[in-house]
Amino acid sequence: MGNHKAFAAAVLALSLATGSCTNTTFPYKDATLCIDARIEDLLSRMTLEESAGQLSHNSLTIGPNGTLTPGSSTSNSTDNVIGEKFMTHFNLRGDIEDVHLTAQWYNRIQQRALDTRLGIPITLSTDPRHAFTENLGTGFAANDFSQWPESLGLAALRSPELVKQFAEVAREEYKAVGLRGALHPQIDLSTEYRWSRIGNTMGEDASLTAELVVAYLKGFHGETFGKHSVTTVTKHFPGGGPMENGEDSHFTYGKNQTYPGDNFDYHLIPFKAAIAAGARQMMPYYSRPIGTEYEEVAFGFNKGIITDLLRGELGYKGIVVSDWGLITDTYIAGQYMPARAWGVEYLSELERAKRILDAGVDQFGGEERPELVVELVETGLVIEERLGISIRRLLREKFELGLFDNPFIDIDQADKIVGNPYFVRLGKEAQRAAYTLLKNEDDILPLRSNVSRKVFVEGFNATYLSALPSLTLLDEPSDADIALLRLQAPYEPRPGGFEANYHAGSLEYNVTEKARQKAIFDAVPISIVDIYLDRPAAIPELAEQATALLGSFGSSPEAFLDVVFGVDGAEPKGRLPFDLPRSLQAVEDSKEDVPFDTENPVFRFGDGLRYGEKCSS
Ligand SMILES: *[C@@H]1O[C@H](CO)[C@@H](O)[C@H](O)[C@H]1NC(C)=O
Ligand SMILES: *[C@@H]1O[C@H](CO)[C@@H](O)[C@H](O)[C@H]1NC(C)=O
Ligand SMILES: *[C@@H]1O[C@H](CO)[C@@H](O)[C@H](O)[C@H]1NC(C)=O
Ligand SMILES: *[C@@H]1O[C@H](CO)[C@@H](O)[C@H](O)[C@H]1NC(C)=O
Ligand SMILES: *[C@@H]1O[C@H](CO)[C@@H](O)[C@H](O)[C@H]1NC(C)=O
Ligand SMILES: *[C@@H]1O[C@H](CO)[C@@H](O)[C@H](O)[C@H]1NC(C)=O
Ligand SMILES: *[C@@H]1O[C@H](CO)[C@@H](O)[C@H](O)[C@H]1NC(C)=O
């Protein structure tokens, strides 16, 4: 362990010795000066190329054994993007499989940045990493971090205190490996149930989301914003929920957002709360608004949305970073992905970059094209003062985070903080509590663990049952006393390496699947069903046939069994963060932008029984 401290010390000594490339006496490096003075000093020293580098924020991966990633046919090397493109903002892409190596790698990229002419430190950001989602475009499973339910599960618990606690824990674990920017919270409202990104929202209700986002930001920032903080990117302005036909705007068939209920302002409510609570960064969504007063171009290109509405009417003063990949066509997970330049597809890459800056966006997410910015300035299409406005905001964030004064982390501390037993226990407790009990016929739950039973299980690894010796596992439902089923909410599989991660389409199980499930219900006298609600499923037949029905929002098999058997008093404490509709037809007949408007829903927002309780909410 000691040799890592020695490494850090050696690194530091090296940086002090190599005074040829870093001038430690520049005023911007002087921690005793005020931040405004430091920003102006640094800005005055930056070349156009160094300035342009600040405006790109792209993905970075960890190289073999914690080294800097070498270049390949599909990516520029880390050495290149830091040393020659002068980029200093990156999001860590991919699972964290080894905390120690990640921490070592982080110090290496900071050292590489310190070795550049001006030594501007890296700000490393990330999509969520504390739950179960595994999708290159939206989040990574927890691995060694403490594991919590998805944000929908936090919303099911209706507790700002718990949300703040989650965010404080996530902040400590992020900081321990050098992550200083959260590309979340996602506060879109789930008013269109088919949308594939509901799982990482806080549900359907604007005032609940508004209340929780305040606690969320407070947890990541701390009471005041500073060197102890993780900065946050609140998304997706002005609310990505009302997707036309429930499709997603990562994809060409999902470009449009619609407001048939004239309910645009409802989606702004959580964003207003976030701004009042000190939101630092904001990300507009890929979509373009159809049939509103705004131009029908994607929000990141949309001056009416960014400059007039967000900065003007709502008085937002922070950073705006675009969603990933608005300029350059690319491949993600082997799938061709055209630039999400919806409504301005006809523009050249250079013109797209100009249009985004003209809209009032500060930084291009998912791009490493500083040369476009250089060209815009050199050809007079964008004036250099325009860059200064955004660079000041971006540099201020780095200074306030304390990155200039100490960019390095203590590698031994990373091992101690990430996944420590206390954080892990809090996450597990939240997984259990977030369970939402929708039906409990004859008070069948909690099951008594000392009764011997023959069980049929589905949807989880049956080896977890070895903790319950009274149970005998059967391969077929026919002779079972009880079925324990963990189901995924229905969706229609989509093709493509990337697209396949987005659960879209129908919210009903198909005929074959319904028949398969019915055969189990017919064969087994007692069936306990847990459905993972990453979208509001239309499942009246499950509500009818299951003996007990639980909704969950990201939980391990242990958490499931603990809740079912009431281990150590574990019980469901969640309440639905959205309605559960009667049918796909009811969803199709409802308006994309209007909450709680499907006909005769099966369960309502707020439903959730307690053990031993007859009626919900
Ligand atoms: C370092 O910066 C200080 C203050 O700006 C300046 O006086 C000095 O000449 C610089 N030294 C080198 C080696 O660039
Ligand atoms: C990984 O790095 C460590 C030291 O940082 C070294 O001891 C080890 O041999 C390296 N492993 C590989 C496979 O390169
Ligand atoms: C490297 O970056 C340049 C832009 O500076 C870009 O044109 C090129 O496509 C990138 N290469 C790869 C392999 O991503
Ligand atoms: C989006 O809206 C436009 C304008 O109403 C329409 O022409 C287009 O077909 C819609 N759908 C998609 C996927 O662009
Ligand atoms: C099982 O445990 C319950 C509650 O602890 C107890 O009342 C019951 O007698 C036990 N039954 C058996 C078969 O041991
Ligand atoms: C279930 O878990 C056991 C023990 O961890 C493992 O050996 C087995 O391969 C797993 N089975 C499946 C189907 O994943
Ligand atoms: C029906 O749903 C099941 C489970 O989701 C799936 O495996 C199957 O391919 C679907 N069948 C059809 C015809 O879509």
Side-chain angles (χ1 to χ4, degrees):
M1 290 286 174
N3 56 337
H4 306 295
K5 265 199 184 117
F7 169 77
V11 149
L12 210 63
L14 194 70
S15 76
L16 293 174
T18 55
S20 51
C21 37
T22 54
N23 186 336
T24 51
T25 59
F26 283 158
Y28 72 86
K29 299 215 167 183
D30 183 349
T32 66
L33 297 181
C34 68
I35 286 179
D36 284 332
R38 297 176 78 184
I39 292 170
E40 294 310 320
D41 177 65
L42 176 53
L43 201 57
S44 72
R45 296 174 196 282
M46 289 168 78
T47 63
L48 176 56
E49 286 72 17
E50 285 161 341
S51 297
Q54 305 307 311
L55 302 197
S56 282
H57 184 160
N58 202 14
S59 309
L60 209 56
T61 53
I62 302 174
N65 205 15
T67 58
L68 303 196
T69 304
S72 74
S73 60
T74 56
S75 69
N76 286 301
S77 69
T78 299
D79 194 63
N80 170 265
V81 292
I82 298 176
E84 282 158 56
K85 295 193 168 54
F86 305 111
M87 287 171 58
T88 67
H89 298 84
F90 301 97
N91 68 303
L92 177 59
R93 177 173 274 190
D95 283 357
I96 290 182
E97 273 152 12
D98 185 323
V99 168
H100 201 82
L101 275 186
T102 303
Q104 284 181 326
W105 169 81
Y106 174 77
N107 279 348
R108 288 185 181 124
I109 60 170
Q110 288 294 17
Q111 185 56 51
R112 183 64 191 87
L114 201 57
D115 289 342
T116 59
R117 191 181 75 92
L118 293 171
I120 301 174
I122 306 292
T123 312
L124 190 67
S125 68
T126 180
D127 274 325
R129 292 184 180 273
H130 279 91
F132 292 79
T133 300
E134 185 66 47
N135 175 351
L136 269 186
T138 63
F140 301 97
N143 289 326
D144 290 342
F145 284 16
S146 60
Q147 192 164 36
W148 297 67
E150 307 292 345
S151 52
L152 268 180
L154 300 178
L157 288 165
R158 304 290 198 273
S159 165
E161 294 73 26
L162 180 81
V163 168
K164 182 158 172 262
Q165 183 182 58
F166 157 74
E168 285 171 349
V169 166
R171 159 157 60 115
E172 294 306 321
E173 289 185 312
Y174 274 2
K175 274 174 50 191
V177 293
L179 295 166
R180 300 302 300 277
L183 298 174
H184 46 104
Q186 191 193 333
I187 59 171
D188 309 307
L189 299 173
S190 63
T191 54
E192 164 50 61
Y193 300 160
R194 288 168 291 177
W195 188 36
S196 56
R197 300 198 61 183
I198 288 175
N200 297 106
T201 69
M202 298 176 186
E204 190 167 3
D205 186 66
S207 52
L208 177 63
T209 300
E211 184 185 8
L212 298 183
V213 72
V214 171
Y216 200 104
L217 297 185
K218 190 146 276 181
F220 275 100
H221 298 169
E223 286 303 315
T224 56
F225 191 82
K227 60 185 193 298
H228 53 273
S229 302
V230 163
T231 191
T232 49
V233 179
T234 298
K235 66 190 185 187
H236 303 89
F237 193 77
M243 294 305 313
E244 185 174 76
N245 301 321
E247 295 297 356
D248 183 58
S249 47
H250 274 93
F251 309 106
T252 50
Y253 50 73
K255 300 175 183 181
N256 293 347
Q257 255 180 246
T258 53
Y259 298 87
D262 202 18
N263 211 25
F264 188 93
D265 289 350
Y266 184 74
H267 297 265
L268 293 181
I269 292 171
F271 290 93
K272 290 178 181 166
I275 292 167
R280 304 289 308 187
Q281 305 199 20
M282 199 75 83
M283 181 187 289
Y285 203 37
Y286 289 123
S287 327
R288 59 176 183 153
I290 299 294
T292 69
E293 68 188 89
Y294 298 100
E295 219 183 335
E296 296 188 345
V297 300
F299 294 126
F301 294 89
N302 204 313
K303 189 171 190 183
I305 293 289
I306 306 299
T307 296
D308 302 341
L309 175 60
L310 177 58
R311 294 205 194 276
E313 267 178 66
L314 303 186
Y316 174 68
K317 302 264 187 291
I319 292 165
V320 177
V321 52
S322 86
D323 212 328
W324 264 224
L326 302 193
I327 299 174
T328 314
D329 294 359
T330 186
Y331 285 83
I332 309 179
Q335 181 172 1
Y336 175 68
M337 293 287 291
R340 273 70 79 198
W342 308 145
V344 291
E345 294 88 343
Y346 57 89
L347 294 180
S348 68
E349 291 177 335
L350 189 70
E351 291 164 336
R352 288 175 191 167
K354 172 173 161 57
R355 184 72 174 258
I356 294 166
L357 290 175
D358 287 350
V361 170
D362 296 303
Q363 194 175 52
F364 309 111
E367 299 285 351
E368 49 189 60
R369 306 295 304 277
E371 77 278 7
L372 294 177
V373 176
V374 169
E375 189 177 343
L376 285 173
V377 173
E378 282 178 347
T379 56
L381 288 169
V382 168
I383 54 169
E384 204 160 358
E385 287 67 34
R386 167 66 190 85
L387 304 193
I389 294 172
S390 292
I391 294 169
R392 281 186 179 86
R393 291 187 184 120
L394 293 162
L395 292 178
R396 173 174 303 282
E397 196 84 327
K398 287 184 193 285
F399 278 113
E400 290 196 18
L401 288 169
L403 287 164
F404 277 93
D405 307 322
N406 181 16
F408 296 106
I409 55 170
D410 179 335
I411 295 169
D412 295 338
Q413 279 296 103
D415 293 326
K416 287 184 190 130
I417 291 169
V418 172
N420 75 70
Y422 177 57
F423 290 175
V424 168
R425 178 163 63 76
L426 293 176
K428 284 184 172 168
E429 281 170 8
Q431 287 179 39
R432 286 163 178 72
Y435 264 91
T436 300
L437 181 62
L438 298 171
K439 181 182 182 186
N440 194 16
E441 205 168 279
D442 303 327
D443 285 328
I444 186 72
L445 294 182
L447 294 175
R448 279 193 267 147
S449 55
N450 58 356
V451 178
S452 69
R453 304 180 202 259
K454 289 176 282 179
V455 294
F456 172 73
V457 313
E458 192 181 281
F460 66 103
N461 189 330
T463 56
Y464 290 104
L465 291 181
S466 56
L468 299 154
S470 60
L471 304 180
T472 310
L473 186 68
L474 301 186
D475 289 337
E476 295 293 330
S478 40
D479 292 321
D481 306 315
I482 193 160
L484 301 178
L485 311 178
R486 299 197 81 199
L487 303 177
Q488 291 280 324
Y491 65 96
E492 290 172 294
R494 294 277 165 93
F498 182 61
E499 200 175 341
N501 291 318
Y502 292 78
H503 291 182
S506 178
L507 293 157
E508 295 179 16
Y509 291 113
N510 64 32
V511 173
T512 327
E513 177 61 12
K514 278 183 185 160
R516 194 192 69 80
Q517 292 175 6
K518 182 167 188 301
I520 299 172
F521 294 128
D522 288 347
V524 188
I526 297 171
S527 48
I528 311 298
V529 177
D530 163 20
I531 179 167
Y532 173 53
L533 293 171
D534 60 344
R535 297 190 300 161
I539 45 160
E541 76 287 355
L542 281 187
E544 182 70 34
Q545 299 172 92
T547 318
L549 179 61
L550 292 152
S552 60
F553 306 97
S555 64
S556 65
E558 293 104 319
F560 166 65
L561 290 171
D562 284 356
V563 167
V564 166
F565 289 94
V567 176
D568 293 334
E571 63 172 323
K573 294 179 181 158
R575 301 195 183 282
L576 280 180
F578 35 52
D579 285 354
L580 293 189
R582 180 68 48 185
S583 63
L584 176 61
Q585 187 66 51
V587 173
E588 286 170 355
D589 292 344
S590 73
K591 296 188 166 78
E592 280 93 336
D593 57 331
V594 177
F596 312 117
D597 74 330
T598 68
E599 195 183 346
N600 190 21
V602 180
F603 294 103
R604 299 308 312 259
F605 173 86
D607 280 356
L609 297 159
R610 300 291 171 265
Y611 284 160
E613 193 182 74
K614 293 293 169 223
C615 51
S616 71
S617 60

